[in-house]
Amino acid sequence: MKFYHRLAYYLVGFTIGLFFVAMVLSGKDTRCNYFPNARVLNDIRNKPFLYDIEASRRLSEDWVDTLDIKNTLTNGDVDFDKSNKPIDGGKLYIVYGKTKKNKEITLEIINYPEKAILRNIIRKDK
């Protein structure tokens, strides 16, 4: 069999396979979180998110708001050297992010199996 016949058979099969994969995955809410940072942030975002008293006090101040928290939970960086420590039946995670005004913030989040609690918001002054 000549090369272009083999190539044609391969491309036809590959196209049919792509079609079936697209049909299977199109109706599902699939995410490809392969890296630990993305997995942790996705896990925290998909749980009920509560605010501790200290975090609520910081949110009442003018330098940070809930939109900054959401952006940090989407685009932030988890510090695994300081994180993943057991605390009160959950795990403490330290997440670094930025506010709308491009100020650096640090979130202390306790991740429980059924919920996530924002314990504190720390402002990094330069």
Side-chain angles (χ1 to χ4, degrees):
M1 184 180 285
K2 294 185 179 181
F3 175 73
Y4 61 90
H5 285 119
R6 287 184 294 187
L7 182 64
Y9 278 121
Y10 171 77
L11 290 177
V12 167
F14 187 73
T15 305
I16 292 171
L18 283 178
F19 176 72
F20 283 117
V21 168
M23 282 181 40
V24 168
L25 295 180
S26 66
K28 297 181 181 178
D29 185 23
T30 56
R31 292 183 178 89
C32 298
N33 295 327
Y34 294 116
F35 297 108
N37 192 61
R39 286 184 185 195
V40 168
L41 293 177
N42 187 39
D43 183 45
I44 292 172
R45 280 193 314 264
N46 288 331
K47 293 180 181 178
F49 195 74
L50 306 171
Y51 298 95
D52 195 3
I53 295 170
E54 185 64 29
S56 297
R57 196 173 302 133
R58 300 274 190 222
L59 285 171
S60 66
E61 297 173 6
D62 193 30
W63 58 273
V64 68
D65 62 2
T66 56
L67 186 61
D68 297 328
I69 304 300
K70 284 185 178 184
N71 287 338
T72 301
L73 290 177
T74 303
N75 303 318
D77 293 320
V78 179
D79 186 355
F80 286 102
D81 291 335
K82 298 178 183 175
S83 297
N84 207 8
K85 297 181 181 174
I87 184 170
D88 298 333
K91 292 183 181 179
L92 175 68
Y93 287 101
I94 306 296
V95 182
Y96 300 119
K98 293 190 177 192
T99 64
K100 293 179 290 192
K101 298 174 184 173
N102 210 18
K103 302 284 185 182
E104 293 184 7
I105 59 172
T106 302
L107 305 180
E108 294 178 357
I109 301 169
I110 302 174
N111 190 11
Y112 294 102
E114 69 281 347
K115 63 184 175 183
I117 297 178
L118 178 62
R119 186 169 83 168
N120 196 4
I121 306 166
I122 302 167
R123 174 177 27 187
K124 297 275 186 162
D125 292 323
K126 292 182 180 180

